[in-house]
Amino acid sequence: MSKVPEMFGSMVFNDAVMQERLPQATYKALKKTVENGEALDISIANVVANAMKDWAVEKGCTHFTHWFQPMTGVTAEKHDSFIVPSGDGQVIMEFSGKELIKGEPDASSFPSGGIRATFEARGYTTWDPTSPAFIKDGSLYIPTAFCSYTGEVLDKKTPLLRSMERLSEQAVKVLHLLGKTDVKRVITTVGAEQEYFLIDKSLYEQRVDLKLTGRTLFGAMAPKGQELDDHYFGVIKTRVSEYMRDLDEELWKLGVLAKTKHNEVAPSQHELAPIFSTSNIATDHNELMMEVMKKIAEKHDLVCLLHEKPFAGVNGSGKHDNWSITTDTGENLLSPGSHPEDNLQFQLFLAAIVKAVHEYQDLLRITVASAGNDHRLGANEAPPAIISMYLGDDLGALVQSIIDGVSYKSEGKTKMYTGVDVLADFKKDTSDRNRTSPFAFTGNKFEFRALGSALNIACPNYMLNTMVAEELCQFYEELKDVSETDRMDAVKALIKKTFTDHQNIIFNGDNYSEEWMKEAERRGLYNFHSLPEAYSHFMDQKNVELFVKHNIMSEQEFRARYEINLSEYNNQMNIEACTMIEMAKKNITPAVTAFVKELTDAALAKKALSASIPTSVEENLITGLSNQLVAFCEKTAELEEAVEQASRLEDNLERAYYSRVHIFEKMQELRKIGDSMEKETAAKYWPYPSYTDLLFGV
Ligand code: ADP
Ligand code: MG
């Protein structure tokens, strides 16, 4: 293994490579585009494209691809080779600025939510120079945004980039009012912690449910689960640590700042966290990370599961979106400093976020809703489905003192005395961690914890950026005409008013407790248990207005997302139900029948031998399993009926509600009987690897 600093970014067309390979003037112009968001000239693109191609070809590339994030939930790519005929029957390798800037994939097969008829199939991808190009599998990958011929947004990156710009514009205006006139841009930063499961590939191959839906649709709980807490942060097994090492190396080569790795709560569950970067790069890198996780797993005869709930009865997987805002002068706007009580700038930005989360709690809940995440949110493992904020004791007390109009002295960072001479004393953080909060302040950033493991983080981030931009915009409007002498008083009054009006979103207690459910209801906070419930608020006037006002999306584009996500949910429910029906009819019912036959044969054989040999064990099993089999087949038929009914519903939301109530519930009921039969049936008859095999097989 080569040294990490040399390996890191070796497959990335990064700043160092650009400095080395681009003429000074080109490099500077490109830098301006990346850092100040200035438009890029085609003549510059030509030079950059050529340098990129030379670099990529030297590294063995033959192709390039525009890499984009359509509304499918995975990334998309279409590869073109660099070859151009040279006229003498030979080829040369070329790559033009035009090819770098613009691609034209056929857009007709990507979800558009009805924006675009299929005959208007043209779509464009446009180079995003703010996220570096990289090499993977012999191709040069160019991160791009994706839109239709008529300019409608068809991807996740475009709204994210727009939201970053809008937040920057609004934050800069507010900072200028506060006297920070040297700030020209504000950047949102994100660090996404990623959870995943690793299971043995040969076992995975035997489970059609995992292959088609990403989760186990049947499976009796293993005798052991996560109750001993012996996996969390436990010693990493050799096979897993070899996987993790390969994974780190591959990610480092791609410039992903893979930093922390450890075992998670559930057996065979793990986590990887990178060092944070801009929201845009963090999003691209998280997509890459998920892809590389799966690819490297194959090499180790493992399968990486990114589903939010692969196994019932143990924790599912989430993703933590650590989010902050930094100025181009290097100041983290969410850093409270040692005396937050005197830091009006921090208080004002905090107030904007509190107000945003309160007013748009429905959007935050919507943005993390998915068929998979419905199994986690509110189920005592992930944060609850109720969105609230945790500020910690110190900041919580500060906010309270502002509301009450009393003075407050922050304790700041106090010293932690270890009480052992050889152990160094250190400074404690101002707040303890609260693991149950969906949106927690963690020192100098917020950690949005309700994301499912498979989610593209672009969506929660553009929601978050846009809602905070809106609040800052309102703050600016309120403050801009106040004279300079009165301004700080006006700022204080605004902070006090905002905290007072929106304190209901702040909750520092145990988010899993029964009391909180009641208290949240009393406070008028939303509690959407499932995707359809959340989505019934998607198109609320205030949400549409938010996105239209800030030019993130038109109403039509916003609605398209609503339809696309609902129809994805409906498709997923349908696939899961159909897979379950197939498993039930083709494998489970025949397996149990065969076992019952063996028992019957055994009992008959015993009886033939002598009437005095007891056959009660066989008979009890035969009766028990036969009864369950009847119920099992009835439930299967009911599920088939529900699937049929659902498919007749044309309205996406109506169908989603129907699926949630009827398909989802029938599936749970069918599973219950199936799992109970698994417990009674001899292992050699059961057609699928057990939970013990799956969870403890690596
Ligand atoms: P924990 O597991 O305790 O939640 P980790 O240390 O594993 O925390 O992850 C914290 C994440 O937050 C890391 O990805 C880190 O890079 C990120 N982070 C730290 N500072 C910032 C910041 N200013 N903006 C965004 N993310 C940040
Ligand atoms: Mg975390």
Side-chain angles (χ1 to χ4, degrees):
M1 175 172 136
S2 62
K3 293 205 183 83
V4 176
E6 283 142 39
M7 181 199 306
F8 187 84
S10 57
M11 292 298 172
V12 185
F13 195 73
N14 56 21
D15 200 65
V17 180
M18 285 193 261
Q19 273 198 56
E20 187 192 310
R21 291 181 174 251
L22 295 176
Q24 266 262 309
T26 313
Y27 172 75
K28 279 194 181 149
L30 185 59
K31 259 320 237 194
K32 265 194 183 164
T33 300
V34 174
E35 280 170 11
N36 309 335
E38 287 177 23
L40 194 89
D41 196 89
I42 180 74
S43 64
I44 291 172
N46 276 324
V47 181
V48 177
N50 196 53
M52 269 187 186
K53 182 261 302 171
D54 287 345
W55 170 78
V57 170
E58 279 168 35
K59 295 210 173 254
C61 284
T62 52
H63 288 69
F64 68 93
T65 179
H66 276 202
W67 184 63
F68 56 105
Q69 296 166 28
M71 297 303 295
T72 50
V74 285
T75 55
E77 49 195 67
K78 178 184 123 203
H79 301 254
D80 281 300
S81 70
F82 291 121
I83 62 163
V84 174
S86 57
D88 52 2
Q90 300 195 309
V91 294
I92 49 169
M93 303 296 258
E94 273 192 5
F95 185 45
S96 68
K98 200 170 143 258
E99 287 172 304
L100 167 62
I101 289 182
K102 193 182 91 181
E104 278 190 48
D106 183 337
S108 60
S109 296
F110 291 107
S112 74
I115 288 187
R116 192 178 24 84
T118 35
F119 59 85
E120 300 165 325
R122 219 186 266 274
Y124 293 117
T125 48
T126 326
W127 176 36
D128 166 19
T130 63
S131 180
F134 56 91
I135 292 173
K136 200 165 67 70
D137 306 324
S139 278
L140 170 67
Y141 279 69
I142 298 146
T144 57
F146 180 46
C147 67
S148 74
Y149 180 71
T150 36
E152 285 96 0
V153 177
L154 296 178
D155 73 344
K156 299 174 181 172
K157 184 189 268 277
T158 310
L160 178 65
L161 290 172
R162 286 181 182 169
S163 75
M164 290 167 73
E165 275 185 16
R166 303 307 178 264
L167 181 62
S168 174
E169 286 157 21
Q170 301 304 334
V172 166
K173 284 196 302 189
V174 169
L175 286 168
H176 285 191
L177 278 183
L178 297 176
K180 289 265 167 73
T181 47
D182 54 336
V183 175
K184 292 195 186 62
R185 267 182 84 214
V186 160
I187 303 126
T188 50
T189 53
V190 167
E193 303 161 57
Q194 178 72 45
E195 291 180 345
Y196 61 98
F197 279 87
L198 280 183
I199 62 165
D200 192 89
K201 187 158 190 289
S202 63
L203 299 174
Y204 169 87
E205 292 295 344
Q206 299 168 53
R207 299 249 5 173
V208 63
D209 47 0
L210 283 175
K211 286 206 272 188
L212 298 187
T213 72
R215 73 181 184 103
T216 51
L217 299 172
F218 287 103
M221 190 53 207
K224 177 180 164 171
Q226 63 193 41
E227 60 278 18
L228 296 180
D229 286 329
D230 53 353
H231 193 255
Y232 190 52
F233 282 20
V235 177
I236 300 170
K237 286 182 188 162
T238 312
R239 190 165 168 205
V240 174
S241 89
E242 279 167 4
Y243 164 81
M244 286 176 166
R245 195 177 57 218
D246 262 11
L247 177 61
D248 277 340
E249 277 185 25
E250 194 66 25
L251 291 171
W252 287 336
K253 284 185 201 157
L254 292 167
V256 178
L257 293 156
K259 175 82 174 166
T260 312
K261 52 188 180 186
H262 60 80
N263 286 350
E264 258 299 329
V265 173
S268 72
Q269 190 186 31
H270 314 279
E271 180 183 300
L272 177 58
I275 298 172
F276 69 95
S277 45
T278 69
S279 313
N280 182 33
I281 293 178
T283 302
D284 286 356
H285 280 182
N286 185 252
E287 290 297 299
L288 255 185
M289 183 188 281
M290 292 193 283
E291 196 186 308
V292 175
M293 277 177 163
K294 289 188 188 159
K295 196 176 94 180
I296 300 291
E298 295 259 332
K299 273 179 48 185
H300 292 256
D301 286 324
L302 296 166
V303 172
C304 170
L305 302 178
L306 292 171
H307 193 281
E308 293 84 357
K309 191 74 181 176
F311 304 101
V314 296
N315 272 12
S317 298
K319 184 137 63 188
H320 291 174
D321 192 73
N322 293 274
W323 176 91
S324 191
I325 359 180
T326 309
T327 65
D328 58 351
T329 52
E331 183 183 3
N332 181 344
L333 295 171
L334 298 188
S335 187
S338 40
H339 290 288
E341 66 274 22
D342 303 326
N343 189 345
L344 283 187
Q345 179 189 300
F346 168 74
Q347 290 174 19
L348 191 64
F349 278 90
L350 180 66
I353 298 167
V354 169
K355 182 167 186 284
V357 175
H358 192 215
E359 289 179 341
Y360 297 103
Q361 43 174 304
D362 49 346
L363 277 184
L364 288 176
R365 173 66 185 85
I366 284 164
T367 195
V368 297
S370 69
N373 221 18
D374 270 6
H375 297 281
R376 298 173 67 237
L377 295 181
N380 261 13
E381 54 170 277
I386 305 164
I387 301 289
S388 70
M389 292 170 94
Y390 169 80
L391 296 182
D393 293 342
D394 201 25
L395 278 189
L398 170 62
V399 167
Q400 197 56 50
S401 74
I402 293 170
I403 293 170
D404 298 342
V406 296
S407 80
Y408 176 75
K409 188 101 190 79
S410 168
E411 281 184 24
K413 286 199 172 186
T414 50
K415 253 199 167 178
M416 177 81 163
Y417 298 102
T418 56
V420 180
D421 287 344
V422 293
L423 299 181
D425 295 330
F426 54 88
K427 281 190 174 168
K428 285 206 284 191
D429 290 302
T430 45
S431 68
D432 193 5
R433 290 160 186 260
N434 176 321
R435 290 280 172 196
T436 68
S437 174
F439 203 90
F441 187 74
T442 48
N444 59 4
K445 60 185 176 350
F446 274 98
E447 184 172 2
F448 186 21
R449 301 208 183 102
L451 286 68
S453 48
L455 191 69
N456 181 316
I457 62 170
C459 308
N461 280 295
Y462 69 66
M463 294 276 179
L464 198 49
N465 294 345
T466 310
M467 59 185 75
V468 175
E470 167 60 20
E471 308 304 353
L472 290 172
C473 175
Q474 289 181 20
F475 283 7
Y476 175 77
E477 289 304 317
E478 188 147 348
L479 296 170
K480 71 176 202 284
D481 297 325
V482 180
S483 72
E484 218 160 305
T485 37
D486 296 334
R487 193 168 296 154
M488 283 311 147
D489 285 335
V491 169
K492 280 185 195 163
L494 178 59
I495 292 169
K496 178 172 176 169
K497 179 177 184 321
T498 308
F499 283 143
T500 308
D501 292 350
H502 299 284
Q503 56 184 309
N504 271 348
I505 197 72
I506 300 170
F507 178 63
N508 288 330
D510 178 4
N511 281 258
Y512 297 162
S513 68
E514 198 56 45
E515 299 88 82
W516 171 233
M517 306 294 138
K518 290 189 197 122
E519 165 73 7
E521 194 178 341
R522 210 179 46 74
R523 292 189 190 186
L525 300 180
Y526 288 127
N527 185 2
F528 304 135
H529 296 94
S530 65
L531 181 140
E533 272 181 63
Y535 268 61
S536 62
H537 287 268
F538 197 111
M539 294 304 292
D540 284 1
Q541 197 57 29
K542 72 168 187 20
N543 296 341
V544 176
E545 273 167 18
L546 174 71
F547 281 84
V548 173
K549 172 176 172 186
H550 294 279
N551 271 321
I552 308 291
M553 273 177 241
S554 67
E555 176 162 357
Q556 195 198 16
E557 289 165 332
F558 195 63
R559 176 175 285 282
R561 264 152 227 258
Y562 161 82
E563 300 289 356
I564 290 170
N565 295 346
L566 276 174
S567 106
E568 185 187 311
Y569 174 84
N570 292 335
N571 286 335
Q572 228 152 329
M573 293 297 268
N574 187 59
I575 293 170
E576 286 195 356
C578 292
T579 307
M580 225 177 165
I581 292 165
E582 189 185 287
M583 291 170 84
K585 288 174 131 178
K586 290 214 167 134
N587 297 82
I588 296 178
T589 301
V592 176
T593 309
F595 181 48
V596 168
K597 175 158 188 308
E598 187 190 294
L599 291 167
T600 313
D601 290 347
L604 287 175
K606 281 184 184 177
K607 280 198 172 129
L609 209 58
S610 151
S612 64
I613 304 177
T615 53
S616 60
V617 171
E618 288 83 358
E619 281 169 26
N620 286 342
L621 272 170
I622 292 167
T623 311
L625 280 171
S626 300
N627 284 334
Q628 291 189 71
L629 208 49
V630 171
F632 188 71
C633 291
E634 276 169 13
K635 272 288 166 254
T636 309
E638 283 174 25
L639 181 58
E640 278 183 296
E641 173 61 21
V643 167
E644 171 64 27
Q645 291 289 346
S647 71
R648 290 208 203 99
L649 299 170
E650 269 171 29
D651 179 76
N652 277 327
L653 185 62
E654 201 187 327
R655 178 166 173 181
Y657 264 113
Y658 184 90
S659 300
R660 171 71 194 186
V661 175
H662 298 284
I663 295 186
F664 189 81
E665 274 178 14
K666 292 272 173 325
M667 283 174 66
Q668 311 250 73
E669 289 163 15
L670 182 62
R671 177 177 184 146
K672 211 170 158 206
I673 310 171
D675 292 357
S676 159
M677 293 197 301
E678 182 184 347
K679 286 188 183 153
E680 308 289 320
T681 304
K684 68 171 181 180
Y685 281 96
W686 198 254
Y688 303 109
S690 69
Y691 263 35
T692 304
D693 297 335
L694 292 168
L695 288 170
F696 299 94
V698 173

